[in-house]
Each structure stands twice: as C-alpha cells, then as structure tokens.
Amino acid sequence: MNIHNRITRSRTTAYWFTLARVLMAASVAALWTMPAAAEPLTAPAFDQTLALQGISFHISSPNNSSLSPVTIETTGLTLGDSTLEREADGTVVGAHVADLDNDGSPEIYIFTTSAGSGSYGGLIAYASNSRKSLSEIYLPPLDTRGGPGLGYQGHDTFTITDNTLVRRFPVYQDGDTNATPSGGTREIHYQLEPGETGWVLHLTAVSGSDSRVDSTLGHSRTPPDQQQ
C-alpha cells in the first residue's frame, strides 16, 4: 500500500470517528433537554373517622382513579359492625355525619367529585335504621331540562347546614363556556325522609337564579324498617 492510500484511509477513519462522537454528543444533549414525563393526576387518599350518637363511621379511599373504591366501616350498630364497599364516580373530597331527621340514628354523607372538566358532585350516603343496620340514602338526579336543574353543568359542592343537605353550583346560560358560567349560583336544600324502600333526600327549597320551591313533596314519617 503506497503512502497516498494510507493517508486517504487514515482521513476516512478519522472522519467516521469524529461523526460518531458528534452524533453521540447530540443524543446525550437531547436526553438532557427532553421534558420529564407528566406525573399522573391523583387526589390525596381520603381517610376519616366520624362519630355521632355512639355510632362511628370510618371512611377510606385511595382516590387513585376516576372510579375510586370507597370503604365504609361502621361500629356501634346493635346488629353488629358492618363494612360496605362502594365505587365513587371520581374521588372522595369530604364526609359528614349528621342526624337530619332527628330520629336519634345518625347518617353518613360522603361527597365526591368526578374526573374531567365538569367536576360533577356526587353523594354516597347511608342511614342507620333505629341504630340497627344501614340503608342507602337516595338523592334524585337533577333534571337539567327545567326547574332547579336548569343551567346545571357540574362544579357543584355539598355541605350540611342546620340539619339540611345543601347543594351549590354555578348556573350556565346559553353560550357560556365551561370556565365562564354567567347565571350566578344556585343553592338547593334537601331534607331526609323515608321512602317506599329506603331513605330519600327530598328537595325542600331553592334559592339563587330562577329560584323556586317544590311544593309537591310527600311527608310520610314512617321509618323504612317499620314499614309494612
């Protein structure tokens, strides 16, 4: 091999070696400048114990998905302790123990918020029947076609005030975006009453935009465990 070929071959080797070093350096730089992977959005786990009138409720949820499991452990019932498993539409954001019907047997109210931009409020609730066992409490859905539910698009919250379950939400007008409701705030009040097969939260008052009161409520006061 003559001197010219040796020089050419050496230059070629040096070229490819330099190119490999440049490409490797670029790859390392790209790795350093890549944005970090987004962390999954989850709410803090919920764990709370509430007690009233000698009955205790322990509510827990990992709040780790859009359908989070909820565990309700109850102690103090005359027929024995109980554990209920439910699934929340979203995550658990709060809980309250109360005796809305003043019958000496407390209820547990668990408040939830759905995933997504609507953040729809939800309720999981149970009443202790004469302090013996638990029965589910039913909250009728809002009719968004008219009445108190007109303009409802989520973002609601629940509280208990003066032995009344209170639901608040922004009112949407035609053309409003999800972030800009323009109809003010509506507040709906519910009272706990016995139904045919369990307990029901009946609407008793409405205030705010286009407020109205449902005057067709029934008022049977026979507890579910005493009905024939």
Side-chain angles (χ1 to χ4, degrees), residues 55 76-79 101 103-106 127-134 199 223-226:
I55 297 178
L77 297 170
T78 58
L79 294 184
D101 58 351
D103 67 347
S105 299
S128 54
N129 300 313
S130 300
R131 308 174 60 84
K132 297 178 182 178
S133 60
L134 296 183
W199 296 93
D225 63 333
Q226 297 179 16

Side-chain angles (χ1 to χ4, degrees), residues 16 42 44 70 80 84 86 93 99 113 123 134 161 163 170 172 182-183 203 209 214 223:
W16 286 113
T42 57
V70 182
L84 298 173
R86 287 290 304 272
V93 296
D99 184 8
T113 297
L123 179 70
L134 296 183
T161 305
N163 271 11
Y172 285 80
S182 62
L203 187 153
S209 307
D214 187 347

Side-chain angles (χ1 to χ4, degrees), residues 65-101:
S65 70
S66 59
L67 294 173
S68 297
V70 182
T71 302
I72 307 165
E73 299 172 275
T74 307
T75 57
L77 297 170
T78 58
L79 294 184
D81 300 343
S82 73
T83 300
L84 298 173
E85 301 286 346
R86 287 290 304 272
E87 189 175 71
D89 181 6
T91 55
V92 176
V93 296
H96 199 110
V97 64
D99 184 8
L100 297 191
D101 58 351

Side-chain angles (χ1 to χ4, degrees), residues 126-219:
Y126 286 88
S128 54
N129 300 313
S130 300
R131 308 174 60 84
K132 297 178 182 178
S133 60
L134 296 183
S135 289
E136 189 167 4
I137 297 173
Y138 175 66
L139 176 66
L142 289 174
D143 185 353
T144 58
R145 298 170 299 179
L150 185 65
Y152 171 72
Q153 293 186 29
H155 304 286
D156 42 341
T157 59
F158 290 91
T159 58
I160 291 180
T161 305
D162 297 329
N163 271 11
T164 300
L165 178 70
V166 180
R167 183 182 204 169
R168 297 184 181 92
F169 57 87
V171 178
Y172 285 80
Q173 307 281 15
D174 291 342
D176 286 350
T177 65
N178 182 64
T180 57
S182 62
T185 301
R186 187 167 300 150
E187 187 173 286
I188 301 178
H189 292 208
Y190 299 90
Q191 280 292 329
L192 181 66
E193 298 188 358
E196 293 183 2
T197 59
W199 296 93
V200 180
L201 287 161
H202 282 284
L203 187 153
T204 57
V206 182
S207 62
S209 307
D210 190 25
S211 62
R212 65 205 69 189
V213 176
D214 187 347
S215 61
T216 63
L217 301 175
H219 293 282

Side-chain angles (χ1 to χ4, degrees), residues 10 26 46 53 67 69 74 78 86 102 107 156 194 196 218 222 227:
S10 177
F46 188 89
Q53 298 164 337
L67 294 173
T74 307
T78 58
R86 287 290 304 272
N102 296 307
E107 312 97 38
D156 42 341
E196 293 183 2
T222 305
Q227 294 179 0

Side-chain angles (χ1 to χ4, degrees), residues 54-68:
I55 297 178
S56 177
F57 303 92
H58 176 213
I59 305 100
S60 60
S61 174
N63 278 346
N64 58 358
S65 70
S66 59
L67 294 173
S68 297

